[in-house]
Amino acid sequence: MVTLMRLRDRRSFTKPEVIIIPMIDIMFFLLVFFILAMLHMVNIKAIDIALPHAAHAQEQINVNYVVTLEKNGNLSLEEKPITREVLLQRIKAVREQNKKFSLVIRVEKDTNYNLVMKLLDECKAVGVEHVGLAAAKDGSL
């Protein structure tokens, strides 16, 4: 007769478990990775101009409007040409709805300083408090 020998008692066996904490950690890591990757993929819709260079320029992500000022004084809102009056009306309307409205002005390299100051002054007159000037970082266009 053959006897079977049990090495361990049946009561000592535990049921298999799915450890969920490491899976949650991995999911959060992937979520953060994709969020950061998407932030670097955001394109600013604007016409292509030669910007002045600045070694310590900082990236701004939360921008409501991107305005481009060319050498000849022409204005563009994102990629579309716009007159100064219409631009200021739109800025004023959005500014009334959003108190944290921000504006970035992209000025073409070698543009007359008076044109830039006039646009900045007009933006301040309609209530814009957060204005940034765009620059090419590290000598790149």
Side-chain angles (χ1 to χ4, degrees):
M1 177 188 236
V2 177
T3 60
L4 295 173
M5 188 172 140
R6 287 192 187 202
L7 298 176
R8 290 176 26 186
D9 186 20
R10 238 177 222 230
R11 287 177 274 154
S12 67
F13 288 114
T14 59
K15 291 182 182 178
E17 295 178 6
V18 176
I19 302 173
I20 199 164
I21 301 298
M23 286 195 295
I24 293 172
D25 290 345
I26 290 171
M27 294 304 289
F28 278 126
F29 174 76
L30 289 174
L31 180 67
V32 169
F33 173 77
F34 284 117
I35 288 173
L36 291 176
M38 290 303 294
L39 288 177
H40 289 288
M41 296 169 109
V42 173
N43 276 342
I44 294 178
K45 293 181 181 179
I47 61 173
D48 194 24
I49 59 170
L51 293 171
H53 301 288
H56 301 288
Q58 296 177 349
E59 254 182 67
Q60 292 293 330
I61 296 172
N62 298 328
V63 175
N64 297 96
Y65 276 170
V66 177
V67 177
T68 303
L69 176 62
E70 298 178 39
K71 283 182 189 179
N72 57 9
N74 291 341
L75 290 170
S76 299
L77 178 60
E78 294 174 357
E79 296 176 325
K80 299 174 185 169
I82 193 168
T83 63
R84 193 174 293 267
E85 294 79 22
V86 173
L87 173 68
L88 294 173
Q89 288 173 358
R90 283 192 187 175
I91 289 173
K92 187 175 182 178
V94 174
R95 169 69 176 97
E96 288 173 358
Q97 295 173 356
N98 181 5
K99 298 298 179 192
K100 294 183 180 181
F101 176 81
S102 61
L103 173 73
V104 170
I105 300 175
R106 300 174 73 240
V107 181
E108 190 170 11
K109 192 176 186 180
D110 300 325
T111 300
N112 186 346
Y113 188 67
N114 288 331
L115 292 174
V116 179
M117 288 307 298
K118 182 178 178 183
L119 181 60
L120 283 171
D121 188 45
E122 290 171 341
C123 289
K124 289 284 187 177
V126 294
V128 178
E129 297 175 7
H130 305 285
V131 179
L133 296 173
K137 189 173 183 178
D138 295 331
S140 63
L141 293 175

